[in-house]
Every structure is written in C-alpha cells, then in structure tokens.
Amino acid sequence: MTIRGCRTKRRLGRGITDFAVALVLFWIATFAVVGGQHQALAVPLPTIGKAAHFDSPATRATLYAVATDRALHAARASRARHNQAVALLSVTIAGLIAFNLAFWRHLRRAYASPRRGVWRRG
C-alpha cells in the first residue's frame, strides 16, 4: 500500500473514532442528566353527562378503557418521536464534533512550523 493510502486510512480511522467517542459521550451525558426521569402519563377521563345511559358502571368502564387506550397510544407515539429526535440530535452533534476535530488536525498539519535543516523554497 502506498504512503498516501496509509495516511488516508489513518485519517479516516481517526474520524470514525472521533465520531464514535463523541456519540458515546453525548449519550452518557444524556443519560446522566435525564436517565432517572420518566414522563408522567396523565390519562384524561372522559366527561360523563348526567344522562341515564351513562350511569351504568359498564358504560363508564368502557368509556374509561377507550380514553385510557387513546392516551397510551398518544404517549407511545410521543415517546417514539422524542427518541427519534434525541437520536438525530446525537448523530448531528457527533458529526459536528468529528468534522471540527478533523478540520483542526488539517489546519495543524497545514500551518505547522517547518523543521530545522529542511530546505525551503525561496
């Protein structure tokens, strides 16, 4: 393998490592801050009128079951959207960190002071 191929492979490996470390650190920080907290599930009860057909316990139980099912479904959908948003945010932040580190390394190489005793172009 050529020297240029080795350099490219090493730089790509560093970029992937930077991305993975930033992703892991983001998730560690996220779980440290929000790990023990859970959203309370508030189930709205249906409004029950004073009409005679709503007075039976079976009807009230059915209405409560329907309301609970809808609320649970909405809570699951909300939680899924929240998880997707956090995952997208973590990948974006890890990508930005990896890109910034790669750019910083490039600038460090490009503007490195020349070595002593090395011929320079005039």
Side-chain angles (χ1 to χ4, degrees), residues 27-102:
W27 279 104
I28 288 172
T30 301
F31 285 130
V33 172
V34 189
Q37 298 176 1
H38 298 287
Q39 292 179 350
L41 179 60
V43 180
L45 295 175
T47 56
I48 300 175
K50 296 288 184 183
H53 61 278
F54 286 121
D55 288 340
S56 70
T59 305
R60 287 182 187 215
T62 304
L63 286 175
Y64 181 75
V66 169
T68 305
D69 186 44
R70 287 181 186 163
L72 287 174
H73 180 67
R76 285 188 195 119
S78 173
R79 189 70 181 162
R81 283 191 302 269
H82 174 72
N83 290 343
Q84 290 172 352
V86 170
L88 183 61
L89 180 67
S90 67
V91 169
T92 303
I93 289 176
L96 285 171
I97 290 171
F99 176 77
N100 284 333
L101 287 173

Side-chain angles (χ1 to χ4, degrees), residues 11 14-15 18 95-111:
R11 290 178 188 161
R14 283 183 185 164
D18 291 340
L96 285 171
I97 290 171
F99 176 77
N100 284 333
L101 287 173
F103 188 63
W104 180 70
R105 284 188 191 111
H106 163 73
L107 290 177
R108 197 175 63 188
R109 280 191 311 270
Y111 292 108

